Amino acid sequence: MVYLSKLPNIVEPKTGLLQFLFGSDIPNDRALLIDALDTSRSLTFAQIKKKVLQFGAGLQDVCDFRKGDVMALYSPNEYNYSIPLFGAIAASGITTTANPNYSVEELYYQLDQTKAKVLICHASNLKTALIAGLRAGIQKSNFFVFGNEVVQGVRPFETALLGHREAVLEELSFEQAKERVALLCFSSGTSGRSKGVMTTHTNLTSNVAQYLELDKHAIDPTVDRMIGILPLFHAFGLTVNLNCALYLGLPLYILPGFELVSFCNTIQKHRITFATVVPPICLLLAKHELVSNYDLSSLRLAVCGAAPLSAELGRETMTRLPNLLIRQGYGLTETSPLAIIEPIDKTIDGSTGLLLSNMVAKIIDEDGKEVTKQGERGELWLKGPNIMKGYLNNPEATADCIDNEGYFHTGDIVLLDKDEHFYVVDRKKELIKYKGFQVPPAEIEGILLTNPIIADCAVIGVYDAAQATEIPRAYVTLKDPTTASEDIGKLIMKYVADQVVNYKQVRSIRFIPVIPKNPSGKILRRILREAAQEEDKLILSKL
């Protein structure tokens, strides 16, 4: 059975991303992007447009940046993050956003995959950027930093690239906008190592239009203010925070990342009304004693995504903050990212909501047949204007997840109620979601197997209620089983931590005599997950 969105259809925007974002009727002097920690640093709508075009011209003139070239953006959130992000697109190029905490190997992999020509980084990660970027073949003269100071010989982009000339935006036809890649975020997809997601101009413009068809009447840019604590390198923060704020003319107060005190202080001081969050933030809002020290009564609307929010935690958070309505949304980097969201006037505990406008879905059971009965589980397949073009340099992976009819196979198991509200109930894919970030087990297993004391291993996600997230757990078979101990476990976890970004770190270790596998050698993660569940039951029985 094919499910169609119950929301009104949108007319897909037919222009490029920047024409779409900058074409809104917004006062030029309205401050839209504001440093939440230092509000003297901000950008008006007019300044954003001018600086983006100057940056694009600077890329062309200083870096010989041409149509289709890639610029890598490797920085924590900054109030002017949008300038390089959109500046490369203004130069008819592509931006790839990287986690600012990536290790040298992780960053090098992304730079090598995308063949990035220019790298914009931050003083805090410049050392890593230089090692990875030079190894990837980026010229030293094409490195730039945020800020106003030259750091280790690397110039700030504000002075090196923003000159008098402004780039002329290339006018794209509708067909060109649907084909032209604007953004390369990286996702692990349904399995394996991370892949560049080719997100087109139309993917991005359509997703803003799809979301606002649902929420446009609930947001008043002259009154509402949004807080940006989700990472802007991630599709969720990039689209729902940055793109929507610019299109609506909604002031966005940007923090470098999430920290509870600065989050609460910003809401209180600036009377923030709208936030995007993930379940671990909801957990802190519901339970942390510090929250009681702040007046968060202005916060009235939040969208929670990146991982499922339990009905219980959602209720507990809204009980503590009675003016706040939290709604779940569902999506992936491959869906640009929003695909499903709860409507404000009909939220249901535990539901991720309704299909966004212009979207079509199927639910497919284990036999590959379409589910036809209410409440039956199956894998969610999605089709719409926000579905990515494909994976960079990886037609095989693209063909594995986008079928001949254009449906993207999400790897998530869902069911529907009688009103066609979706509920995510399981995951078919092996991916672990730690605090909203993707952790591919195969990548961590590959690192573990380079440790000389390890004979075999497997990594799974185990839900930790205390953190409201899955955590990566490694099951390890040692070459000498008699050496298994808590100290050896800590050494193994450090071995991984030294090579990966924080969210990919192994959080717990279990030593077992043999890793369960099928006859073809595939790890039977189901058996390990069942063992973890039994262990949890045993612990609870002793409490």
Side-chain angles (χ1 to χ4, degrees), residues 260 263-264 267 275 277 281-288 290-302 313-326:
L260 185 59
F263 176 73
C264 292
I267 293 172
V277 296
I281 294 177
C282 292
L283 182 68
L284 290 172
L285 291 175
K287 297 182 179 295
H288 203 289
L290 277 177
V291 173
S292 300
N293 298 336
Y294 296 89
D295 176 8
L296 307 184
S297 60
S298 63
L299 192 60
R300 64 178 185 83
L301 189 64
L313 180 54
R315 285 195 298 267
E316 191 173 355
T317 307
M318 289 187 286
T319 297
R320 193 173 192 192
L321 301 177
N323 291 344
L324 176 62
L325 174 65
I326 300 176

Side-chain angles (χ1 to χ4, degrees), residues 156-231:
F157 72 77
E158 289 273 0
T159 55
L161 298 180
L162 271 60
H164 294 295
R165 192 175 79 83
E166 298 179 10
V168 177
L169 293 181
E170 182 182 358
E171 294 297 333
L172 302 178
S173 69
F174 186 29
E175 289 304 315
Q176 288 173 323
K178 287 193 290 186
E179 289 297 315
R180 178 75 62 85
V181 175
L183 189 66
L184 286 168
C185 292
F186 269 58
S187 165
S188 294
T190 55
S191 63
R193 196 164 187 183
S194 59
K195 296 174 278 290
V197 175
M198 295 190 291
T199 305
T200 69
H201 286 253
T202 296
N203 290 155
L204 293 166
T205 58
S206 292
N207 207 223
V208 171
Q210 287 171 302
Y211 167 64
L212 293 180
E213 177 59 38
L214 184 70
D215 271 8
K216 61 187 177 184
H217 300 300
I219 301 172
D220 182 351
T222 65
V223 175
D224 287 313
R225 289 165 295 282
M226 181 160 49
I227 188 169
I229 44 86
L230 297 184

Side-chain angles (χ1 to χ4, degrees), residues 256-270:
F258 178 79
E259 189 276 322
L260 185 59
V261 170
S262 57
F263 176 73
C264 292
N265 187 58
T266 299
I267 293 172
Q268 175 179 273
K269 183 176 180 180
H270 301 293

Side-chain angles (χ1 to χ4, degrees), residues 61-263:
D61 298 341
V62 177
C63 304
D64 192 31
F65 195 85
R66 295 291 177 254
K67 182 186 295 186
D69 283 345
V70 176
M71 183 206 72
L73 185 49
Y74 177 58
S75 171
N77 288 2
E78 287 279 351
Y79 80 102
N80 56 347
Y81 191 92
S82 63
I83 305 307
L85 173 71
F86 296 128
I89 298 170
S92 298
I94 301 167
T95 299
T96 184
T97 55
N99 187 315
N101 298 310
Y102 266 174
S103 67
V104 169
E105 288 300 322
E106 290 167 320
L107 179 60
Y108 167 74
Y109 173 76
Q110 184 164 338
L111 297 176
D112 182 59
Q113 287 288 303
T114 59
K115 306 304 178 191
K117 188 172 187 176
V118 178
L119 177 55
I120 311 296
C121 58
H122 192 271
S124 62
N125 59 20
L126 178 57
K127 181 179 178 181
T128 299
L130 284 170
I131 297 171
L134 291 172
R135 180 178 162 194
I138 299 176
Q139 297 178 21
K140 179 70 178 293
S141 60
N142 282 0
F143 287 76
F144 304 93
V145 291
F146 280 84
N148 300 309
E149 303 292 333
V150 175
V151 185
Q152 296 180 40
V154 177
R155 297 170 294 169
F157 72 77
E158 289 273 0
T159 55
L161 298 180
L162 271 60
H164 294 295
R165 192 175 79 83
E166 298 179 10
V168 177
L169 293 181
E170 182 182 358
E171 294 297 333
L172 302 178
S173 69
F174 186 29
E175 289 304 315
Q176 288 173 323
K178 287 193 290 186
E179 289 297 315
R180 178 75 62 85
V181 175
L183 189 66
L184 286 168
C185 292
F186 269 58
S187 165
S188 294
T190 55
S191 63
R193 196 164 187 183
S194 59
K195 296 174 278 290
V197 175
M198 295 190 291
T199 305
T200 69
H201 286 253
T202 296
N203 290 155
L204 293 166
T205 58
S206 292
N207 207 223
V208 171
Q210 287 171 302
Y211 167 64
L212 293 180
E213 177 59 38
L214 184 70
D215 271 8
K216 61 187 177 184
H217 300 300
I219 301 172
D220 182 351
T222 65
V223 175
D224 287 313
R225 289 165 295 282
M226 181 160 49
I227 188 169
I229 44 86
L230 297 184
L232 295 176
F233 72 82
H234 191 282
F236 187 18
L238 197 155
T239 292
V240 183
N241 286 158
L242 196 54
N243 288 355
C244 287
L246 288 179
Y247 184 75
L248 285 173
L250 180 67
L252 174 64
Y253 289 77
I254 297 173
L255 286 162
F258 178 79
E259 189 276 322
L260 185 59
V261 170
S262 57
F263 176 73

